[in-house]
Amino acid sequence: MKVFKTGAAAAVAVTLALSATACAGGSGKSGGGSGDGAGKKDKLVVGIKFDQPGLGLKTPDGKYTGFDVDVATYVAKELGYEADQIEFKQAVSAERENLIANGDVKFVVASYSINDKRKEKVDFAGPYFLAHQDLLVRADETSITKAEDLNQKKLCSVTGSTSAQNVKTKLAPEADLQQLGGYSECLTGLENKAVDALTTDNSILAGYAAQEKNVGKFKLVGLSLSNENYGIGLKKGDKELQTKINAALRKMVQDGSWEQFVKKNFGPANYKNEPAPQITEGS
């Protein structure tokens, strides 16, 4: 009986060891990852916008499209991850820093403008795109050619938008500012002539104007009311990842992929984009 007990105990020990090994192989927070894509079980969790056509959009069939999605996919591949190893997580503007700090995502690619306040909480790689605040108007609009023309006109943006306040306080104080829940609502108002212009980053405006259902209906005025350098947000102090992402961004520009992504996502809006910006973060 003693021999039997010893053998049973050994079998249990082996079983437990195998179970622990199996669990260890697939454990760890998916947002963290190994950084090199080793092992098909690994997932790279990336934060993107789900509601911005041309930049980051989750379509009704569950697919993801947009410039930021293409950039994120390219960077992930350079880090060693295939497309089926990427898990996209919604990163609304107010939650981007929290997602990074908590390790819920490895990095964020979500029209994420680099500024000093944000750099107190996260680090950035890039920038990979330079946008400007602009105005979107109806295609047949001829009376709005500069920001000052918005005085006495109805200007739409989303609630809490810094873009709208920039126009209202500095450029056209007599504009009738309409703040709605989302850019799509502003676009509907613009089409129905309930408002005269919509303001935010030109990349976001171009994304909406480039949608198949909107082609030919709207146009960008072509102003540069502010400079918005989009960066890839990552955990503060992760210099290794920052260096790897910067290298991927440089390669993306050099091999022509960056220009291809721009034309693919913004081309139908006749968007005149800036050249790819020089990478300054981490250097």
Side-chain angles (χ1 to χ4, degrees), residues 224-268:
S224 297
L225 304 179
S226 70
N227 293 328
E228 307 295 338
N229 281 291
Y230 292 170
I232 295 180
L234 56 130
K235 184 162 285 190
K236 198 162 185 64
D238 194 342
K239 298 301 180 186
E240 181 181 358
L241 180 60
Q242 184 184 52
T243 299
K244 288 181 178 180
I245 293 178
N246 279 337
L249 295 176
R250 290 188 181 96
K251 182 178 178 182
M252 181 178 67
V253 174
Q254 291 166 358
D255 68 14
S257 297
W258 185 90
E259 189 68 31
Q260 176 189 333
F261 297 156
V262 170
K263 290 179 179 177
K264 168 187 168 187
N265 292 291
F266 303 127

CSV table of all heavy atoms in Angstrom, one decimal, residues 224-268:
chain,number,residue,atom,x,y,z
A,224,SER,N,-5.3,76.0,-41.4
A,224,SER,CA,-4.4,75.4,-40.4
A,224,SER,C,-4.6,76.2,-39.1
A,224,SER,O,-3.7,77.1,-38.8
A,224,SER,CB,-3.0,75.4,-40.9
A,224,SER,OG,-2.9,74.6,-42.1
A,225,LEU,N,-5.6,75.9,-38.4
A,225,LEU,CA,-5.9,76.7,-37.2
A,225,LEU,C,-5.1,76.2,-35.9
A,225,LEU,O,-5.1,76.9,-34.9
A,225,LEU,CB,-7.4,76.6,-36.9
A,225,LEU,CG,-8.3,77.1,-38.1
A,225,LEU,CD1,-9.8,77.0,-37.7
A,225,LEU,CD2,-8.0,78.5,-38.5
A,226,SER,N,-4.5,75.1,-36.1
A,226,SER,CA,-3.7,74.5,-35.0
A,226,SER,C,-2.8,73.4,-35.6
A,226,SER,O,-3.2,72.9,-36.6
A,226,SER,CB,-4.5,74.0,-33.8
A,226,SER,OG,-5.2,72.8,-34.2
A,227,ASN,N,-1.8,73.0,-34.9
A,227,ASN,CA,-0.9,71.9,-35.3
A,227,ASN,C,-1.2,70.7,-34.3
A,227,ASN,O,-1.1,70.9,-33.1
A,227,ASN,CB,0.5,72.3,-35.3
A,227,ASN,CG,0.9,73.3,-36.3
A,227,ASN,OD1,0.3,73.3,-37.4
A,227,ASN,ND2,1.9,74.1,-36.0
A,228,GLU,N,-1.5,69.6,-34.8
A,228,GLU,CA,-1.8,68.4,-34.0
A,228,GLU,C,-0.9,67.3,-34.5
A,228,GLU,O,-1.1,66.7,-35.5
A,228,GLU,CB,-3.3,68.0,-34.2
A,228,GLU,CG,-4.3,69.1,-33.9
A,228,GLU,CD,-4.3,69.5,-32.4
A,228,GLU,OE1,-3.8,68.8,-31.5
A,228,GLU,OE2,-4.7,70.7,-32.2
A,229,ASN,N,0.2,67.0,-33.7
A,229,ASN,CA,1.1,65.9,-34.0
A,229,ASN,C,0.6,64.6,-33.4
A,229,ASN,O,0.6,64.5,-32.2
A,229,ASN,CB,2.5,66.3,-33.5
A,229,ASN,CG,3.2,67.2,-34.5
A,229,ASN,OD1,3.6,66.9,-35.6
A,229,ASN,ND2,3.5,68.4,-34.0
A,230,TYR,N,0.2,63.7,-34.2
A,230,TYR,CA,-0.3,62.4,-33.7
A,230,TYR,C,0.9,61.5,-33.3
A,230,TYR,O,1.8,61.3,-34.1
A,230,TYR,CB,-1.2,61.7,-34.7
A,230,TYR,CG,-2.5,62.4,-35.0
A,230,TYR,CD1,-3.3,61.9,-36.1
A,230,TYR,CD2,-3.0,63.4,-34.3
A,230,TYR,CE1,-4.5,62.5,-36.4
A,230,TYR,CE2,-4.2,64.0,-34.6
A,230,TYR,CZ,-5.0,63.6,-35.6
A,230,TYR,OH,-6.2,64.2,-35.9
A,231,GLY,N,0.8,61.0,-32.1
A,231,GLY,CA,1.8,60.0,-31.7
A,231,GLY,C,1.2,58.7,-31.2
A,231,GLY,O,0.0,58.6,-31.1
A,232,ILE,N,2.1,57.8,-31.0
A,232,ILE,CA,1.6,56.5,-30.4
A,232,ILE,C,1.9,56.5,-29.0
A,232,ILE,O,3.1,56.5,-28.5
A,232,ILE,CB,2.3,55.3,-31.2
A,232,ILE,CG1,1.9,55.3,-32.6
A,232,ILE,CG2,2.0,54.0,-30.5
A,232,ILE,CD1,2.5,54.2,-33.4
A,233,GLY,N,0.9,56.4,-28.2
A,233,GLY,CA,1.0,56.4,-26.7
A,233,GLY,C,1.4,55.1,-26.1
A,233,GLY,O,0.8,54.1,-26.5
A,234,LEU,N,2.3,55.1,-25.2
A,234,LEU,CA,2.8,53.9,-24.5
A,234,LEU,C,3.1,54.2,-23.1
A,234,LEU,O,3.2,55.3,-22.7
A,234,LEU,CB,4.0,53.3,-25.3
A,234,LEU,CG,5.2,54.2,-25.4
A,234,LEU,CD1,6.4,53.5,-25.0
A,234,LEU,CD2,5.3,54.6,-26.9
A,235,LYS,N,3.4,53.1,-22.3
A,235,LYS,CA,3.6,53.2,-20.9
A,235,LYS,C,4.8,54.1,-20.6
A,235,LYS,O,5.9,53.9,-21.3
A,235,LYS,CB,3.7,51.9,-20.2
A,235,LYS,CG,3.9,51.9,-18.7
A,235,LYS,CD,3.6,50.6,-18.0
A,235,LYS,CE,2.1,50.3,-18.0
A,235,LYS,NZ,1.8,49.1,-17.2
A,236,LYS,N,4.7,55.0,-19.7
A,236,LYS,CA,5.8,55.9,-19.3
A,236,LYS,C,7.1,55.1,-18.9
A,236,LYS,O,7.0,54.2,-18.1
A,236,LYS,CB,5.4,56.9,-18.3
A,236,LYS,CG,6.3,58.1,-18.2
A,236,LYS,CD,5.6,59.2,-17.4
A,236,LYS,CE,6.5,60.5,-17.4
A,236,LYS,NZ,6.6,61.0,-18.8
A,237,GLY,N,8.2,55.4,-19.5
A,237,GLY,CA,9.4,54.8,-19.1
A,237,GLY,C,9.8,53.6,-20.0
A,237,GLY,O,10.9,53.0,-19.8
A,238,ASP,N,8.9,53.1,-20.9
A,238,ASP,CA,9.2,52.0,-21.7
A,238,ASP,C,10.0,52.4,-22.9
A,238,ASP,O,9.5,52.5,-24.0
A,238,ASP,CB,7.9,51.3,-22.1
A,238,ASP,CG,8.2,49.9,-22.7
A,238,ASP,OD1,9.3,49.6,-23.1
A,238,ASP,OD2,7.2,49.1,-22.8
A,239,LYS,N,11.3,52.7,-22.7
A,239,LYS,CA,12.2,53.2,-23.8
A,239,LYS,C,12.4,52.1,-24.8
A,239,LYS,O,12.6,52.5,-26.0
A,239,LYS,CB,13.5,53.7,-23.2
A,239,LYS,CG,13.4,54.8,-22.2
A,239,LYS,CD,12.7,56.0,-22.8
A,239,LYS,CE,12.6,57.2,-21.8
A,239,LYS,NZ,11.8,58.3,-22.4
A,240,GLU,N,12.5,50.9,-24.5
A,240,GLU,CA,12.7,49.8,-25.4
A,240,GLU,C,11.6,49.7,-26.5
A,240,GLU,O,11.8,49.7,-27.7
A,240,GLU,CB,12.8,48.5,-24.7
A,240,GLU,CG,13.1,47.3,-25.7
A,240,GLU,CD,13.2,46.0,-25.0
A,240,GLU,OE1,13.1,45.9,-23.7
A,240,GLU,OE2,13.4,44.9,-25.7
A,241,LEU,N,10.3,49.8,-26.0
A,241,LEU,CA,9.2,49.8,-26.9
A,241,LEU,C,9.2,51.0,-27.7
A,241,LEU,O,8.9,51.0,-29.0
A,241,LEU,CB,7.9,49.6,-26.1
A,241,LEU,CG,6.6,49.5,-27.0
A,241,LEU,CD1,6.7,48.3,-28.0
A,241,LEU,CD2,5.4,49.4,-26.1
A,242,GLN,N,9.4,52.2,-27.1
A,242,GLN,CA,9.5,53.4,-27.8
A,242,GLN,C,10.5,53.4,-29.0
A,242,GLN,O,10.1,53.8,-30.1
A,242,GLN,CB,9.8,54.6,-26.9
A,242,GLN,CG,9.8,56.0,-27.5
A,242,GLN,CD,10.2,57.0,-26.5
A,242,GLN,OE1,11.3,56.9,-25.9
A,242,GLN,NE2,9.4,58.0,-26.2
A,243,THR,N,11.6,52.9,-28.7
A,243,THR,CA,12.7,52.8,-29.8
A,243,THR,C,12.2,51.9,-30.9
A,243,THR,O,12.4,52.2,-32.1
A,243,THR,CB,14.0,52.3,-29.2
A,243,THR,OG1,14.4,53.2,-28.1
A,243,THR,CG2,15.1,52.1,-30.2
A,244,LYS,N,11.6,50.7,-30.6
A,244,LYS,CA,11.2,49.8,-31.6
A,244,LYS,C,10.1,50.4,-32.5
A,244,LYS,O,10.0,50.2,-33.7
A,244,LYS,CB,10.7,48.5,-30.9
A,244,LYS,CG,11.8,47.6,-30.4
A,244,LYS,CD,11.2,46.4,-29.7
A,244,LYS,CE,12.4,45.5,-29.2
A,244,LYS,NZ,11.8,44.2,-28.6
A,245,ILE,N,9.1,51.1,-31.8
A,245,ILE,CA,8.0,51.7,-32.6
A,245,ILE,C,8.5,52.8,-33.5
A,245,ILE,O,8.1,52.9,-34.6
A,245,ILE,CB,6.9,52.2,-31.6
A,245,ILE,CG1,6.2,51.0,-30.9
A,245,ILE,CG2,5.9,53.0,-32.4
A,245,ILE,CD1,5.2,51.5,-29.9
A,246,ASN,N,9.4,53.6,-33.0
A,246,ASN,CA,10.0,54.7,-33.8
A,246,ASN,C,10.7,54.1,-35.0
A,246,ASN,O,10.6,54.6,-36.1
A,246,ASN,CB,11.0,55.5,-33.0
A,246,ASN,CG,10.3,56.6,-32.1
A,246,ASN,OD1,9.2,57.0,-32.4
A,246,ASN,ND2,11.0,57.0,-31.1
A,247,ALA,N,11.4,53.0,-34.9
A,247,ALA,CA,12.1,52.3,-36.0
A,247,ALA,C,11.1,51.9,-37.0
A,247,ALA,O,11.3,52.0,-38.2
A,247,ALA,CB,12.9,51.2,-35.5
A,248,ALA,N,10.0,51.3,-36.5
A,248,ALA,CA,8.9,50.8,-37.4
A,248,ALA,C,8.3,52.0,-38.2
A,248,ALA,O,8.0,51.9,-39.4
A,248,ALA,CB,7.8,50.1,-36.6
A,249,LEU,N,8.1,53.1,-37.5
A,249,LEU,CA,7.5,54.3,-38.2
A,249,LEU,C,8.4,54.8,-39.3
A,249,LEU,O,7.9,55.2,-40.3
A,249,LEU,CB,7.2,55.4,-37.1
A,249,LEU,CG,6.1,55.0,-36.1
A,249,LEU,CD1,6.0,56.2,-35.1
A,249,LEU,CD2,4.8,54.8,-36.8
A,250,ARG,N,9.7,54.9,-39.0
A,250,ARG,CA,10.7,55.3,-40.0
A,250,ARG,C,10.6,54.4,-41.2
A,250,ARG,O,10.7,54.9,-42.4
A,250,ARG,CB,12.1,55.4,-39.4
A,250,ARG,CG,12.3,56.5,-38.4
A,250,ARG,CD,13.7,56.6,-38.0
A,250,ARG,NE,13.9,57.7,-37.0
A,250,ARG,CZ,14.0,57.5,-35.7
A,250,ARG,NH1,13.9,56.2,-35.2
A,250,ARG,NH2,14.1,58.5,-34.8
A,251,LYS,N,10.6,53.1,-41.0
A,251,LYS,CA,10.6,52.2,-42.1
A,251,LYS,C,9.3,52.3,-42.9
A,251,LYS,O,9.3,52.2,-44.1
A,251,LYS,CB,10.7,50.7,-41.5
A,251,LYS,CG,10.7,49.7,-42.6
A,251,LYS,CD,10.8,48.3,-42.0
A,251,LYS,CE,10.8,47.2,-43.1
A,251,LYS,NZ,10.9,45.8,-42.5
A,252,MET,N,8.2,52.6,-42.2
A,252,MET,CA,6.9,52.7,-42.8
A,252,MET,C,6.9,53.9,-43.8
A,252,MET,O,6.3,53.8,-44.9
A,252,MET,CB,5.8,53.0,-41.8
A,252,MET,CG,4.4,53.1,-42.3
A,252,MET,SD,3.2,53.3,-41.0
A,252,MET,CE,3.7,54.9,-40.3
A,253,VAL,N,7.6,55.0,-43.5
A,253,VAL,CA,7.7,56.1,-44.4
A,253,VAL,C,8.7,55.8,-45.5
A,253,VAL,O,8.4,56.0,-46.7
A,253,VAL,CB,8.2,57.3,-43.6
A,253,VAL,CG1,8.5,58.5,-44.6
A,253,VAL,CG2,7.2,57.8,-42.6
A,254,GLN,N,9.8,55.2,-45.2
A,254,GLN,CA,10.8,54.9,-46.2
A,254,GLN,C,10.4,53.9,-47.3
A,254,GLN,O,10.7,54.1,-48.5
A,254,GLN,CB,12.1,54.4,-45.5
A,254,GLN,CG,12.8,55.4,-44.7
A,254,GLN,CD,13.8,54.8,-43.7
A,254,GLN,OE1,14.0,53.6,-43.7
A,254,GLN,NE2,14.5,55.7,-43.0
A,255,ASP,N,9.6,52.9,-46.9
A,255,ASP,CA,9.2,51.9,-47.9
A,255,ASP,C,7.9,52.3,-48.7
A,255,ASP,O,7.4,51.5,-49.5
A,255,ASP,CB,9.0,50.5,-47.3
A,255,ASP,CG,7.9,50.4,-46.3
A,255,ASP,OD1,7.0,51.2,-46.3
A,255,ASP,OD2,7.8,49.4,-45.6
A,256,GLY,N,7.3,53.5,-48.4
A,256,GLY,CA,6.2,54.0,-49.1
A,256,GLY,C,4.8,53.6,-48.5
A,256,GLY,O,3.8,54.0,-49.0
A,257,SER,N,4.8,52.8,-47.5
A,257,SER,CA,3.6,52.4,-46.9
A,257,SER,C,2.8,53.5,-46.3
A,257,SER,O,1.6,53.6,-46.4
A,257,SER,CB,3.8,51.3,-45.8
A,257,SER,OG,4.4,50.2,-46.3
A,258,TRP,N,3.5,54.5,-45.7
A,258,TRP,CA,2.8,55.6,-45.1
A,258,TRP,C,2.0,56.4,-46.1
A,258,TRP,O,0.8,56.7,-45.9
A,258,TRP,CB,3.8,56.6,-44.5
A,258,TRP,CG,3.3,57.7,-43.7
A,258,TRP,CD1,2.9,57.8,-42.4
A,258,TRP,CD2,3.0,59.0,-44.2
A,258,TRP,NE1,2.4,59.0,-42.0
A,258,TRP,CE2,2.4,59.8,-43.1
A,258,TRP,CE3,3.1,59.6,-45.5
A,258,TRP,CZ2,2.0,61.1,-43.3
A,258,TRP,CZ3,2.7,61.0,-45.6
A,258,TRP,CH2,2.2,61.7,-44.6
A,259,GLU,N,2.6,56.7,-47.3
A,259,GLU,CA,1.9,57.4,-48.3
A,259,GLU,C,0.7,56.6,-48.9
A,259,GLU,O,-0.4,57.1,-49.2
A,259,GLU,CB,2.9,57.7,-49.5
A,259,GLU,CG,2.3,58.7,-50.5
A,259,GLU,CD,2.1,60.1,-50.0
A,259,GLU,OE1,2.8,60.5,-49.1
A,259,GLU,OE2,1.1,60.7,-50.5
A,260,GLN,N,0.9,55.3,-49.0
A,260,GLN,CA,-0.2,54.4,-49.4
A,260,GLN,C,-1.3,54.5,-48.5
A,260,GLN,O,-2.5,54.5,-48.9
A,260,GLN,CB,0.4,53.0,-49.5
A,260,GLN,CG,-0.6,51.9,-49.9
A,260,GLN,CD,-0.1,50.5,-49.8
A,260,GLN,OE1,1.1,50.3,-49.9
A,260,GLN,NE2,-1.0,49.6,-49.5
A,261,PHE,N,-1.1,54.4,-47.2
A,261,PHE,CA,-2.1,54.5,-46.2
A,261,PHE,C,-2.9,55.8,-46.2
A,261,PHE,O,-4.1,55.8,-46.1
A,261,PHE,CB,-1.6,54.3,-44.8
A,261,PHE,CG,-0.9,52.9,-44.5
A,261,PHE,CD1,0.0,52.8,-43.5
A,261,PHE,CD2,-1.2,51.8,-45.3
A,261,PHE,CE1,0.7,51.6,-43.3
A,261,PHE,CE2,-0.6,50.6,-45.1
A,261,PHE,CZ,0.3,50.5,-44.1
A,262,VAL,N,-2.2,56.9,-46.4
A,262,VAL,CA,-2.8,58.2,-46.5
A,262,VAL,C,-3.8,58.3,-47.7
A,262,VAL,O,-4.9,58.7,-47.6
A,262,VAL,CB,-1.8,59.3,-46.6
A,262,VAL,CG1,-2.4,60.7,-47.0
A,262,VAL,CG2,-1.0,59.5,-45.3
A,263,LYS,N,-3.3,57.8,-48.9
A,263,LYS,CA,-4.1,57.9,-50.1
A,263,LYS,C,-5.3,57.0,-50.0
A,263,LYS,O,-6.4,57.3,-50.4
A,263,LYS,CB,-3.3,57.5,-51.3
A,263,LYS,CG,-2.3,58.6,-51.7
A,263,LYS,CD,-1.4,58.1,-52.9
A,263,LYS,CE,-0.4,59.2,-53.3
A,263,LYS,NZ,0.4,58.8,-54.4
A,264,LYS,N,-5.1,55.8,-49.4
A,264,LYS,CA,-6.2,54.8,-49.3
A,264,LYS,C,-7.3,55.4,-48.4
A,264,LYS,O,-8.5,55.2,-48.7
A,264,LYS,CB,-5.6,53.6,-48.7
A,264,LYS,CG,-6.7,52.5,-48.2
A,264,LYS,CD,-6.0,51.4,-47.4
A,264,LYS,CE,-7.0,50.5,-46.7
A,264,LYS,NZ,-6.3,49.5,-45.8
A,265,ASN,N,-7.0,56.0,-47.3
A,265,ASN,CA,-8.0,56.4,-46.3
A,265,ASN,C,-8.6,57.8,-46.5
A,265,ASN,O,-9.7,58.1,-46.0
A,265,ASN,CB,-7.4,56.3,-44.9
A,265,ASN,CG,-7.2,54.8,-44.5
A,265,ASN,OD1,-8.1,54.0,-44.4
A,265,ASN,ND2,-5.9,54.4,-44.4
A,266,PHE,N,-7.8,58.8,-47.0
A,266,PHE,CA,-8.2,60.1,-47.2
A,266,PHE,C,-8.3,60.6,-48.6
A,266,PHE,O,-8.9,61.7,-48.8
A,266,PHE,CB,-7.2,61.1,-46.4
A,266,PHE,CG,-7.0,60.7,-45.0
A,266,PHE,CD1,-5.7,60.5,-44.5
A,266,PHE,CD2,-8.0,60.6,-44.1
A,266,PHE,CE1,-5.5,60.2,-43.1
A,266,PHE,CE2,-7.8,60.3,-42.8
A,266,PHE,CZ,-6.6,60.1,-42.3
A,267,GLY,N,-7.9,59.9,-49.5
A,267,GLY,CA,-7.8,60.3,-50.9
A,267,GLY,C,-9.2,60.8,-51.5
A,267,GLY,O,-9.2,61.9,-52.1
A,268,PRO,N,-10.3,60.1,-51.3
A,268,PRO,CA,-11.5,60.5,-51.8
A,268,PRO,C,-12.0,61.9,-51.4
A,268,PRO,O,-12.9,62.5,-52.0
A,268,PRO,CB,-12.5,59.4,-51.4
A,268,PRO,CG,-11.7,58.2,-51.1
A,268,PRO,CD,-10.4,58.8,-50.6
